[in-house]
Amino acid sequence: MAKRTRPEDESWSDYAAQIASNLRRLRAEAGLSQEDVAYRSGLTRYTYQKYEKGESKPGTPANPTIRTLLAMSQTLGVALTDILPPEAPDLRLR
């Protein structure tokens, strides 16, 4: 039986993809490697690479903790709001 996706799952997937795009851009602007950002943020390079891909495992959107997001923003020298897309998805169950 095929797994049904809820609208909020798709919204989160799109949001995670935007976070990934922002991380790639901000890292490039900071002149840092993925390994630099990972190490300075207390992450493994593999984990950080997954955040830049926007997924935690194939088909599952990334869901970094607030602590991880703060560590990455501090490492990149930007505000947390620079990593997060401006429009948050509606994750309420319908």
Side-chain angles (χ1 to χ4, degrees), residues 41 43 47 51 64-73 80 83:
S41 299
L43 305 168
T47 298
Y51 291 141
T65 65
I66 198 76
R67 183 191 187 288
T68 297
L69 289 167
L70 284 169
M72 290 187 294
S73 72
L80 179 58
I83 293 175

Side-chain angles (χ1 to χ4, degrees), residues 23-55:
L23 284 171
R24 288 189 302 271
R25 177 181 50 78
L26 292 166
R27 180 179 57 78
E29 289 173 2
L32 297 171
S33 69
Q34 288 181 333
E35 190 167 4
D36 289 334
V37 176
Y39 176 77
R40 295 176 190 180
S41 299
L43 305 168
T44 66
R45 185 181 62 187
Y46 178 77
T47 298
Y48 180 76
Q49 287 172 331
K50 291 300 203 174
Y51 291 141
E52 277 200 10
K53 282 185 171 184
E55 59 184 25

